[in-house]
Amino acid sequence: MSSTTAAEHLSATTLLRFATAGSVDDGKSTLVGRLLHDSKSVLVDQLEAVEHASRSRGQEAPDLALLTDGLRAEREQGITIDVAYRYFATARRRFILADTPGHVQYTRNMVTGASTAELTVILVDARNGVVEQTRRHAAIAALLRVPHVVLAVNKMDLVGYAEAVFARIAEEFTAYATELGIPEVTAIPISALAGDNVVEPSATMDWYGGPTVLEHLETVPVSHDLTGCHARLPVQYVIRPQTAELPDYRGYAGQIAAGTFRVGQEVTVLPSGRTSRISDIDLLGTPVDVAWTPQSVTLRLEDDIDISRGDLIVPSGDAPATSQDVEATVCHVADQPLTVGQRVLLKHTTRTVKAIVKDIPSRLTLDDLSQHPDPGRLVANDIGTVRVRTAEPIAMDAYADSRRTGSFLLIDPADGTTLAAGMAGESFAGEKPVAAPADDDGWDF
């Protein structure tokens, strides 16, 4: 195959973004290392470095976990701390992999890694089954609306490759995932250390007739076509050259978050509500008639209206609700607690506004998915419902409709620390939102 043909073939393959998650010592890094090694995605010098590091630690066989655990602290402690991104490809698909930490202290990093994933691989140690951290990772996957979840029951070699052990764990996890509203769970029995059912089918688990991990990753249906979604352009920068060649040029630049924009289309600018029509679209300095996500473009309008960074350009008649009151589910990621009455910054797309935490109606109990009422505060790794009042109106979609324009961050205004990652609207598929209190007085804005 010529280099040109190979490049064309690679560009024609689809891209899958996926994340791994699981408890400490469930074997996530080993699974990722095995996946990279057995799919021939490891460079020779990388493998030699891993073999050298393994020998220096007294290990005869190469420790494939070292392919992802790059920080010195990670190697010394044998745990994953930071999110490690890996890029690899097979003949059928390209992949962006986020290997996320399993330790409860670093659950916040799992939120980061899974926020853009189309699939999450959740590992379970066959000896321990479904534990609290497994439920937490499943809940986060459900909150982030990850459409595909793989349950990888690892270390099957340590339970004698028993089908009954795998079936029990798969049944328990699937029932829990169904309660969360996760649309699809694929359970696969594996041994990452031995390579069973990772890339090649296992010779010792002939009772399993499903796909290997890599086969499922290569064939799971994914769609990146957001052109049919609600069109949204968060304005990142206003371009005013004011040069002799372009004395009247006024363009609104940003990356299209979803949908399609066309020249001549009537649009509304939020939160002001002013309307105009698109007169021109510039893409990489070239005029085009149509632009779609995720292209970065500059829109020009027929009317000179007040538009600045943080405004949202949407098609007229298809605008999200604009409000100063935001109700959402958040994953609290900071060491300091989030409390009622706390002043924060809310960052939504390219817009950052002052806000106050009005109420924390509930905190999720992972054991039975019940809501603990009025917890008063959220601490690190808590998942709860919050109501926030913003100083200025925000145009926000429900997270179920748009992961880009339905998400936000709560930030400490004193030092810029990220406090919580929020998803607007209902927490899980089919869940009814908590009713708002009748008394809404006493707030500054």
Side-chain angles (χ1 to χ4, degrees):
M1 181 179 290
S2 68
S3 58
T4 303
T5 305
E8 291 173 348
H9 176 72
L10 185 60
S11 64
T13 59
T14 57
L15 171 69
L16 175 69
R17 294 180 175 89
F18 72 100
T20 59
S23 301
V24 174
D25 293 331
D26 277 355
K28 297 177 306 304
S29 296
T30 302
L31 170 63
V32 173
R34 173 65 64 183
L35 197 60
L36 295 174
H37 178 271
D38 289 7
S39 64
K40 307 296 189 296
S41 300
V42 180
L43 299 176
V44 174
D45 59 338
Q46 290 178 305
L47 187 58
E48 289 177 349
V50 167
E51 290 173 345
H52 176 74
S54 299
R55 285 194 300 270
S56 66
R57 295 166 59 175
Q59 296 172 298
E60 295 182 3
D63 184 355
L64 298 180
L66 298 180
L67 287 171
T68 56
D69 289 340
L71 299 179
R72 181 177 180 181
E74 294 178 323
R75 298 191 177 198
E76 290 175 347
Q77 299 179 57
I79 63 173
T80 302
I81 295 174
D82 201 3
V83 180
Y85 290 95
R86 293 294 178 267
Y87 307 86
F88 68 103
T90 66
R92 305 174 72 176
R93 180 169 278 177
R94 294 173 293 137
F95 301 95
I96 299 177
L97 183 159
D99 182 29
T100 68
H103 197 288
V104 64
Q105 181 181 349
Y106 304 111
T107 300
R108 67 196 80 179
N109 293 14
M110 190 264 179
V111 176
T112 301
S115 61
T116 58
E118 291 111 7
L119 182 147
T120 297
V121 179
I122 299 179
L123 271 79
V124 171
D125 188 325
R127 299 169 298 174
N128 302 327
V130 176
V131 297
E132 180 184 2
Q133 191 70 342
T134 310
R135 290 189 287 268
R136 179 175 286 110
H137 288 150
I140 291 173
L143 286 172
L144 295 173
R145 307 282 171 160
V146 180
H148 304 283
V149 171
V150 172
L151 172 68
V153 182
N154 194 22
K155 304 189 181 183
M156 288 295 295
D157 53 312
L158 300 183
V159 295
Y161 296 103
E163 181 180 5
V165 173
F166 168 72
R168 174 179 54 80
I169 295 173
E171 182 179 1
E172 180 182 355
F173 181 87
T174 301
Y176 186 80
T178 300
E179 288 188 63
L180 290 169
I182 293 175
E184 177 186 308
V185 175
T186 301
I188 304 175
I190 69 169
S191 170
L193 187 63
D196 291 292
N197 287 334
V198 179
V199 173
E200 300 295 335
S202 172
T204 55
M205 288 185 280
D206 54 2
W207 45 264
Y208 172 74
T212 65
V213 173
L214 182 61
E215 183 182 356
H216 182 70
L217 294 176
E218 287 182 323
T219 58
V220 65
V222 293
S223 174
H224 304 288
D225 185 12
L226 300 177
T227 57
C229 301
H230 307 288
R232 305 286 187 258
L233 176 72
V235 176
Q236 184 174 359
Y237 189 69
V238 179
I239 299 177
R240 288 277 287 139
Q242 294 182 299
T243 61
E245 297 80 9
L246 299 169
D248 301 317
Y249 188 100
R250 185 191 301 268
Y252 309 102
Q255 184 183 48
I256 300 177
T260 301
F261 288 94
R262 293 177 171 82
V263 171
Q265 183 177 13
E266 184 178 343
V267 293
T268 300
V269 180
L270 299 176
S272 69
R274 295 184 177 90
T275 61
S276 185
R277 288 188 181 277
I278 299 175
S279 61
D280 301 277
I281 302 176
D282 294 334
L283 174 64
L284 299 176
T286 303
V288 296
D289 293 328
V290 183
W292 53 83
T293 183
Q295 293 175 333
S296 295
V297 299
T298 300
L299 300 186
R300 299 173 62 190
L301 305 182
E302 293 180 354
D303 305 287
D304 289 337
I305 56 181
D306 185 8
I307 301 176
S308 58
R309 175 182 170 87
D311 286 350
L312 190 66
I313 299 178
V314 303
S316 298
D318 185 23
T322 301
S323 175
Q324 290 181 253
D325 296 296
V326 177
E327 178 169 339
T329 299
V330 301
C331 295
H332 191 62
V333 299
D335 293 327
Q336 63 194 88
L338 185 72
T339 59
V340 175
Q342 186 172 347
R343 296 178 181 273
V344 296
L345 297 176
L346 187 150
K347 185 180 189 312
H348 173 249
T349 62
T350 57
R351 187 177 183 84
T352 302
V353 299
K354 296 179 180 179
I356 293 178
V357 179
K358 291 174 50 181
D359 190 18
I360 304 177
S362 62
R363 183 184 71 242
L364 180 68
T365 302
L366 293 171
D367 288 335
D368 57 5
L369 297 180
S370 62
Q371 297 286 348
H372 183 283
D374 299 320
R377 67 176 191 165
L378 298 176
V379 298
N381 301 314
D382 275 350
I383 298 171
T385 305
V386 300
R387 297 193 181 101
V388 178
R389 175 81 171 179
T390 59
E392 304 168 23
I394 292 288
M396 190 178 300
D397 289 293
Y399 188 80
D401 295 331
S402 173
R403 294 172 80 180
R404 285 284 304 277
T405 55
S407 59
F408 61 88
L409 297 176
L410 296 182
I411 299 170
D412 187 336
D415 58 11
T417 300
T418 298
L419 302 174
M423 287 72 69
E426 298 177 359
S427 304
F428 303 106
E431 183 183 20
K432 295 181 180 179
V434 181
D439 184 8
D440 191 34
D441 296 329
W443 296 96
D444 293 344
F445 41 74

